Amino acid sequence: MSSNYEENITLPNGKTVKVYTGLFINNEFVDSIDRKRFETINPATGKVIISVVEASEKDVDIAVEAATKAFNEEWIHVNGQERGKLMNKLADLMERDIDELAALESLDNGKPYAVAKSVDLPLTIDVYRYFAGWCDKIHGKVIETQNDKFCYTRHEPIGVCGAIIPWNFPLLMQSWKLGPALACGNTVVLKTSELTPLTALKVAALFKEAGFPKGVVNILSGFGPTAGAAIAHHMKIDKVAFTGSTAVGRTILKASADSNLKKVTLELGGKSPNIIFADSDLDEAVKWSYHGIFFNHGQCCCAGSRVYVQDSIYDNFIEKFKAHAQSVKVGDPFHDDTYQGPQISQRQFDRIMSYIESGKEEGATLLLGGKQHGDEGFFICPTIFTDVNENMKIMQEEIFGPVVAIAKFKTVDEVIEKAHLTTYGLAAAVFTKDISRAIKISNSLRAGTVWVNCYNLFNANTPFGGYKESGIGRELGKYALELYTQVKTVQINLES
Ligand code: NAI
Ligand code: MG
């Protein structure tokens, strides 16, 4: 491993961590063909952390070549038990390095270190362990046809999989793609977000240390319209999995149609409704609903950004919700009690502020926030709009920031109709003590996940994905395996 692509940096907490900066191809950190680099920023300060090597289309070609060779010559011969052992070894190494990974995730992304360590890392490690367990349990069936015939199916890997991931949960998104892809016997070329390249490269080094053969996992830092588009259009990539904006998701699907009809899975945006009935436990509803929208600074695809509160408790809910917002700490991600850190970039900061302006212009009541927090980095105060109506932009469009739109409702029919007034269908939540109402509403909501009396619960074994324009396919759980295998039918004539 060349020392050109390893550097020590000092964290805000005074600790030193080793950072890798090269493209990870064939188990080595290497330069790009064009020798270009780009800088990644600490969103808490707006200052440069380090520069990393930038992949172009040519580097994507090289990585795909490596992944194709590894698939055909090596990985295909590694059986499920061996793949499972390698993945478990990777999970052990991530656990060993959990402090460093959490610190680097916090530095590059801005999420609180304590959250990265207690939420992102444990779930990421779980995901690798969960899919490690599947490696030797992926098999087809014998299908009875006629007495003189024998028919069976095989669940085979797809081949070389492309993955394009976003910046809001860099380590988790890496595991959601790599976990099932590797368990099913595929090789991968993964592009990280240009805003958060660092932790994936650290995990790349752990893949090598765990003993994965070269070329099985290739990780590129780079930009969407160049390296990302090259993956989406590549003739030798057999499947692409994307998480990010709906606009880019559409281009990925088009790229598949224009190239080799690679399989596509998409996990896109959301504008998830969160419905609070008068009979719910109000303090619990406030606590979970706050977490539902403000967790990860509102940068969650499943954020409960539209909160509908039944009229008889509306004022009471709002009062408590505001008090909760005033009690959480916004600030330095390396402070133990920080709940909310900075937004990821100046661009996202500006986008969110323009949504806040539109909410004010369209006549919603700005109850709290609406402005920058502090004077450095990309922090925005928790922002609460009340009396928001269905036609306002802040009720219609994904803001992806710490901004909630709250509205009143009277009846079940009315709130279900309102909940469905969106092109998205990723998640929803219902707060009520009436179990039959909870189940009836959960069943009727057109969303991939419905939370009842909670929000943001995720497990490695529970599927996640979108209805409507929130995506195609499911990640996590057994369902994810279907998207990384293809079924072959073998028909045998026993009489011949
Ligand atoms: P984005 O969709 O541009 O970025 C996500 C990933 O796609 C990154 O790796 C990026 O490099 C890549 N990408 C960008 N253009 C591409 C292209 N033409 N071909 C292939 N890959 C491409 O999202 P961005 O600009 O960072 O955020 C904009 C909005 O997208 C956010 O405000 C939010 O609404 C939504 N978003 C949703 C996410 C989710 O978890 N569903 C995650 C990130 C953003
Ligand atoms: Mg960064």
Side-chain angles (χ1 to χ4, degrees):
M1 218 177 280
S2 162
S3 60
N4 289 341
Y5 307 110
E6 278 181 39
E7 274 176 59
N8 285 327
I9 57 170
T10 306
L11 298 167
N13 63 7
K15 293 193 178 143
T16 299
V17 330
K18 192 199 283 175
V19 173
Y20 298 91
T21 57
L23 307 178
F24 185 74
I25 301 174
N26 265 331
N27 273 359
E28 299 298 335
F29 288 99
V30 297
D31 206 348
S32 60
I33 295 289
D34 297 336
R35 303 187 173 279
K36 277 194 197 86
R37 295 178 86 96
F38 67 94
E39 291 170 337
T40 185
I41 281 171
N42 172 1
T45 59
K47 298 204 174 100
V48 173
I49 304 169
I50 199 165
S51 74
V52 297
V53 175
E54 177 188 337
S56 73
E57 292 87 341
K58 291 170 248 174
D59 304 298
V60 170
D61 282 342
I62 293 170
V64 172
E65 206 54 50
T68 306
K69 196 164 186 298
F71 180 78
N72 290 326
E73 294 177 14
E74 188 133 18
W75 198 228
I76 201 93
H77 304 300
V78 178
N79 66 35
Q81 275 154 325
E82 288 305 315
R83 291 201 304 275
K85 276 187 209 159
L86 287 168
M87 288 176 70
N88 273 319
K89 177 79 180 153
L90 175 82
D92 292 344
L93 295 176
M94 290 184 77
E95 209 148 55
R96 180 195 71 190
D97 293 350
I98 192 164
D99 288 337
E100 280 193 9
L101 285 164
L104 210 50
E105 191 81 325
S106 171
L107 182 72
D108 206 9
N109 163 282
K111 64 179 69 206
Y113 166 72
V115 173
K117 188 167 171 185
S118 64
V119 179
D120 296 60
L121 261 301
L123 185 51
T124 301
I125 293 165
D126 272 2
V127 169
Y128 284 116
R129 291 223 167 97
Y130 172 78
F131 284 107
W134 272 116
C135 290
D136 59 358
K137 299 170 192 70
I138 296 167
H139 45 69
K141 297 176 178 156
V142 172
I143 299 178
E144 301 301 336
T145 54
Q146 289 93 30
N147 283 340
D148 58 350
K149 307 286 185 304
F150 179 59
C151 175
Y152 64 91
T153 60
R154 283 166 54 84
H155 293 190
E156 296 184 346
I158 295 177
V160 177
C161 294
I164 302 171
I165 61 171
W167 41 263
N168 50 344
F169 296 95
L171 282 167
L172 269 170
M173 292 300 106
Q174 186 185 20
S175 71
W176 288 25
K177 307 288 184 262
L178 288 176
L182 298 173
C184 295
N186 301 280
T187 58
V188 184
V189 175
L190 178 142
K191 189 195 83 64
T192 49
S193 164
E194 59 277 20
L195 298 170
T196 51
L198 297 183
T199 45
L201 294 172
K202 187 117 196 148
V203 178
L206 299 183
F207 270 106
K208 180 173 181 174
E209 187 181 342
F212 279 80
K214 65 178 187 178
V216 170
V217 174
N218 304 278
I219 294 178
L220 307 178
S221 312
F223 291 84
T226 49
I231 289 174
H233 282 94
H234 210 284
M235 294 301 287
K236 290 187 181 163
I237 289 183
D238 305 299
K239 181 236 160 74
V240 63
F242 170 80
T243 300
S245 61
T246 304
V248 174
R250 288 181 201 282
T251 73
I252 305 282
L253 207 50
K254 283 203 189 106
S256 163
D258 289 343
S259 56
N260 60 347
L261 288 174
K262 57 179 66 61
K263 321 276 179 269
V264 178
T265 45
L266 302 174
E267 204 266 89
L268 308 173
K271 191 72 186 173
S272 299
N274 175 11
I275 304 168
I276 324 276
F277 282 95
D279 72 341
S280 61
D281 178 325
L282 194 56
D283 290 331
E284 282 289 300
V286 166
K287 185 190 80 184
W288 284 107
S289 302
Y290 194 85
H291 187 60
I293 172 65
F294 290 105
F295 177 63
N296 212 37
H297 334 150
Q299 303 169 144
C300 294
C301 47
C302 56
S305 48
R306 297 186 288 147
V307 177
Y308 295 103
V309 186
Q310 207 161 20
D311 50 2
S312 63
I313 57 158
Y314 186 76
D315 292 340
N316 211 352
F317 178 90
I318 282 171
E319 195 185 312
K320 283 177 180 261
F321 197 79
K322 180 178 175 187
H324 192 87
Q326 287 167 324
S327 75
V328 303
K329 182 164 161 21
V330 182
D332 183 350
F334 280 88
H335 275 183
D336 280 349
D337 53 351
T338 295
Y339 179 80
Q340 187 185 318
Q343 308 311 126
I344 189 70
S345 64
Q346 184 67 50
R347 184 161 157 255
Q348 284 301 110
F349 179 95
D350 294 341
R351 263 177 78 113
I352 296 162
M353 292 310 285
S354 82
Y355 275 113
I356 292 172
E357 281 315 304
S358 90
K360 289 197 253 177
E361 277 162 24
E362 291 189 310
T365 306
L366 177 62
L367 185 73
L368 191 73
K371 54 183 195 301
Q372 181 171 14
H373 169 94
D375 50 16
E376 76 161 1
F378 313 128
F379 294 87
I380 296 179
C381 297
T383 298
I384 303 173
F385 279 105
T386 57
D387 309 316
V388 185
N389 80 40
E390 296 313 311
N391 304 320
M392 295 178 182
K393 243 168 92 171
I394 56 168
M395 196 57 121
Q396 289 292 325
E397 295 179 20
E398 182 174 53
I399 300 174
F400 229 61
V403 181
V404 67
I406 307 185
K408 207 183 274 186
F409 75 92
K410 273 195 173 63
T411 68
V412 172
D413 289 348
E414 174 199 350
V415 78
I416 290 194
E417 191 185 326
K418 284 183 171 167
H420 285 151
L421 290 176
T422 170
T423 54
Y424 293 117
L426 195 56
V430 186
F431 287 82
T432 178
K433 284 187 182 145
D434 180 339
I435 184 71
S436 39
R437 176 157 65 191
I439 293 172
K440 277 187 200 154
I441 292 179
S442 302
N443 290 349
S444 71
L445 286 169
R446 296 187 48 71
T449 295
V450 181
W451 285 294
V452 177
N453 295 331
C454 59
Y455 212 100
N456 281 340
L457 295 193
F458 281 90
N459 306 92
N461 61 357
T462 53
F464 182 77
Y467 277 46
K468 294 159 82 178
E469 291 177 28
S470 286
I472 299 175
R474 293 292 176 270
E475 300 193 285
L476 299 181
K478 190 181 175 191
Y479 297 86
L481 303 176
E482 285 166 26
L483 303 171
Y484 287 92
T485 46
Q486 47 197 349
V487 179
K488 175 180 284 173
T489 305
V490 180
Q491 297 261 21
I492 302 169
N493 183 2
L494 301 178
E495 292 304 297
S496 65

